Amino acid sequence: MRIVRFRYKDSIAFGVLEGKTIAVLRYTPFAKILFSGEKITFKKVRLLPPAQPSKVVLVGLNYSDHARELGMKIPQEPIIFLKPPTAVIGHQDAIIYPKSIGRLDYEAELALVIKKQAKNIPAAKASQYILGYTCLNDVTARDLQKKDGQWTRAKSFDTFCPIGPWVETDIDPASLRITLRMNNFLKQDSSTRNLIFPVKKLVSFISGIMTLYPGDVISTGTPPGVGPMKPGDRVEVGIEGIGTLVNTVAKG
């Protein structure tokens, strides 16, 4: 099931994508899937970020092939950081390249959306707290990351967290091909089987630190091949079984 969040005329709603139409939900999908009976043609809507997180929790250095690329040791525990909700944009929205930035990088990632409040969740029960999976681009001001020695400023500008195009609920995240194409050239190509810390471990670890709320997003890290973007570039994050998140880069 593909859950979309969309704008139609003056309204914002959730729905389930069914071919070329959207079956509109009566409420948000976090408590219960209940259809309103209304259906809208997909071409008539504007897709929005599929969740409105109170926070986006991301994981650094979580692919074994990325660690080898960087010549870094495998971490003993997940390395986590945050992006604010103001960084979130959706499918086909523009990533703004601030004038103050020297280098802006893409990072393709598999992300998950939390379904219900979670705190101190054992890994064996993590699936009960996941609504589904989506694509995410962890946009990073690489020069600021190196300058600051920590990641908050470099990761947190407005538009630095594209998410979408929807949430896929019926998928196993254990072995999915993940790619990034820029201007149709393949830049990243790996599989989630190279994750150092799998999805269930991440939900358990993060919920042991902070309470997770419905709509919160956890992103699982990026594979090798990260690199720079410039204004005018078209960036596509593709994940097997989910779809493709497409954004363009625009001048600030």
Side-chain angles (χ1 to χ4, degrees):
M1 183 166 54
R2 289 180 170 175
I3 298 173
V4 295
R5 180 171 164 265
F6 63 93
R7 181 184 295 276
Y8 177 66
K9 296 181 178 179
D10 295 327
S11 299
I12 293 175
F14 284 92
V16 174
L17 185 59
E18 298 178 343
K20 296 181 179 180
T21 64
I22 295 173
V24 181
L25 296 179
R26 188 178 298 276
Y27 308 111
T28 71
F30 301 106
K32 184 179 181 181
I33 299 294
L34 184 63
F35 294 98
S36 69
E38 181 183 8
K39 292 195 175 184
I40 301 172
T41 302
F42 181 69
K43 288 184 178 181
K44 293 183 178 180
V45 310
R46 178 192 170 194
L47 288 182
L48 300 174
Q52 292 177 289
S54 70
K55 54 190 169 293
V56 183
V57 188
L58 301 97
V59 182
L61 199 64
N62 196 33
Y63 276 77
S64 56
D65 46 356
H66 188 37
R68 288 194 299 271
E69 177 191 43
L70 299 175
M72 299 180 70
K73 294 181 179 179
I74 299 296
Q76 297 301 305
E77 293 182 312
I79 302 168
I80 63 171
F81 58 96
L82 299 172
K83 284 183 186 265
T86 49
V88 173
I89 58 172
H91 178 63
Q92 295 187 339
D93 289 340
I95 300 167
I96 303 302
Y97 197 135
K99 294 180 181 179
S100 60
I101 300 304
R103 173 171 162 166
L104 194 65
D105 280 14
Y106 55 76
E107 296 187 15
E109 305 200 2
L110 170 73
L112 64 92
V113 178
I114 294 295
K115 179 166 63 174
K116 57 185 178 180
Q117 185 170 324
K119 179 63 178 175
N120 294 324
I121 305 304
K125 295 184 177 180
S127 297
Q128 301 173 25
Y129 294 82
I130 299 171
L131 177 67
Y133 299 88
T134 190
C135 307
L136 184 146
N137 189 348
D138 175 17
V139 178
T140 304
R142 194 67 70 199
D143 55 325
L144 294 186
Q145 184 182 26
K146 293 179 179 178
K147 178 180 179 181
D148 292 350
Q150 53 87 20
W151 302 352
T152 302
R153 180 164 65 135
K155 302 275 191 178
S156 297
F157 284 78
D158 292 353
T159 77
F160 275 24
C161 193
I163 302 174
W166 41 66
V167 174
E168 174 59 64
T169 63
D170 301 320
I171 198 168
D172 183 350
S175 183
L176 304 175
R177 187 185 182 195
I178 177 170
T179 62
L180 185 138
R181 287 177 168 84
M182 189 169 70
N183 304 325
N184 294 321
F185 289 95
L186 186 63
K187 298 293 186 179
Q188 292 184 274
D189 189 0
S190 187
S191 170
T192 57
R193 64 177 174 267
N194 292 318
L195 286 173
I196 297 167
F197 302 105
V199 165
K200 292 180 181 180
K201 169 66 176 177
L202 295 177
V203 172
S204 178
F205 179 81
I206 294 167
S207 71
I209 299 165
M210 63 189 80
T211 301
L212 298 168
Y213 293 106
D216 280 354
V217 172
I218 295 175
S219 198
T220 59
T222 196
V226 300
M229 304 179 288
K230 63 182 185 301
D233 285 339
R234 174 184 170 93
V235 185
E236 303 177 42
V237 177
I239 300 179
E240 179 184 1
I242 298 177
T244 304
L245 167 67
V246 180
N247 300 94
T248 54
V249 183
K251 289 182 180 180

